[in-house]
């Protein structure tokens, strides 16, 4: 079961992943949804910067940096989260994005090519262009359960149809040959 008002990011805390900006997004959302929770799963060179942003914005009761988790811990946390977020400017193939949709966690992510590619023009979540738009879409989904559940279902169906691992393997080969 999804924890209410829960967001999750999975990935490296690296420059181009813009993870500190997700803390800013949570800060904007907090004005409307005070008990918003953002789980950050992963580690990397920007760990300190993300930590500093949490302190600056006084978000330590809303943002949890988990660091590195086992696959099982990661999937458990993902399964319990309502929304998957990423502001990344650069991705290969977005495996956490596919895992999120497989667990019924609705993505609200930057509109980069890799994210669009995973979405396949299906109505499975939102591609956004700045923090304000990301925050607004998240608030919309967290205050409209039927909408969130519909997108979650669409996402699961897309993964089954398109992104089971055998198919992902084929897509990887296509991407590598492109």
């Amino acid at each position: 079961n999804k924890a209410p008002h829960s967001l999750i990011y999975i990935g490296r805390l690296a420059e181009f992943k813009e993870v500190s900006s997700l803390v800013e997004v949570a800060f904007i959302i907090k004005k409307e949804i005070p008990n918003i929770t953002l789980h950050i799963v992963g580690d990397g060179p920007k760990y300190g910067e993300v930590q500093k942003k949490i302190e600056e914005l006084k978000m330590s009761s809303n943002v949890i940096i988990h660091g590195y988790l086992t696959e099982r811990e990661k999937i458990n946390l993902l399964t319990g989260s309502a929304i998957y977020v990423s502001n990344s400017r650069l991705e290969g193939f977005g495996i956490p994005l596919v895992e999120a949709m497989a667990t019924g966690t609705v993505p609200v992510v930057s509109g980069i090519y890799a994210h669009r590619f995973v979405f396949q023009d299906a109505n499975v979540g939102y591609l956004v262009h700045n923090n304000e738009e990301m925050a607004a879409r998240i608030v919309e989904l967290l205050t409209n359960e039927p909408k969130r559940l519909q997108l979650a279902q669409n996402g699961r169906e897309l993964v089954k149809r398109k992104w089971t691992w055998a198919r992902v393997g084929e897509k990887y080969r296509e991407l590598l040959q492109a």
Side-chain angles (χ1 to χ4, degrees):
N1 240 3
K2 301 289 182 193
H5 308 152
S6 52
L7 317 176
I8 187 168
Y9 164 82
I10 297 171
R12 272 178 58 67
L13 309 189
E15 178 73 48
F16 58 87
K17 301 282 195 176
E18 300 275 356
V19 183
S20 343
S21 72
L22 298 175
V23 181
E24 292 166 12
V25 169
F27 179 75
I28 298 169
I29 294 167
K30 188 176 178 172
K31 294 177 185 130
E32 294 185 55
I33 302 176
N35 63 343
I36 190 75
T37 305
L38 167 61
H39 297 281
I40 297 175
V41 179
D43 205 342
K46 293 290 170 182
Y47 192 98
E49 185 186 290
V50 175
Q51 192 71 60
K52 198 163 148 261
K53 181 64 74 178
I54 292 168
E55 286 158 24
E56 262 170 38
L57 296 176
K58 301 185 170 42
M59 289 294 284
S60 55
S61 57
N62 301 84
V63 183
I64 304 154
I65 306 194
H66 295 270
Y68 183 79
L69 295 181
T70 66
E71 198 62 21
R72 176 166 294 279
E73 290 169 325
K74 184 183 82 175
I75 295 298
N76 283 346
L77 201 52
L78 193 51
T79 304
S81 300
I83 312 275
Y84 180 78
V85 289
S86 170
N87 245 339
S88 183
R89 295 196 308 263
L90 182 69
E91 285 295 326
F93 181 83
I95 288 178
L97 184 51
V98 173
E99 290 175 336
M101 293 194 304
T103 58
T105 302
V106 177
V108 179
V109 295
S110 53
I112 59 172
Y113 175 76
H115 292 157
R116 294 200 310 269
F117 183 77
V118 171
F119 275 37
Q120 295 284 304
D121 291 323
N123 185 23
V124 293
Y126 292 115
L127 298 161
V128 298
H129 302 97
N130 56 53
N131 290 356
E132 289 69 27
E133 189 188 357
M134 179 177 273
R137 288 303 196 180
I138 291 167
V139 168
E140 178 191 326
L141 288 172
L142 294 181
T143 53
N144 183 344
E145 192 68 352
K147 173 82 172 170
R148 186 183 66 74
L149 291 173
Q150 183 59 61
L151 292 180
Q153 188 186 332
N154 295 353
R156 278 196 296 262
E157 284 165 9
L158 175 66
V159 172
K160 279 199 200 96
R161 202 171 67 239
K162 193 96 199 176
W163 300 127
T164 58
W165 293 116
R167 294 201 183 99
V168 168
E170 289 164 28
K171 284 288 166 193
Y172 259 131
R173 281 194 295 281
E174 280 175 34
L175 282 174
L176 291 171
Q177 284 157 5

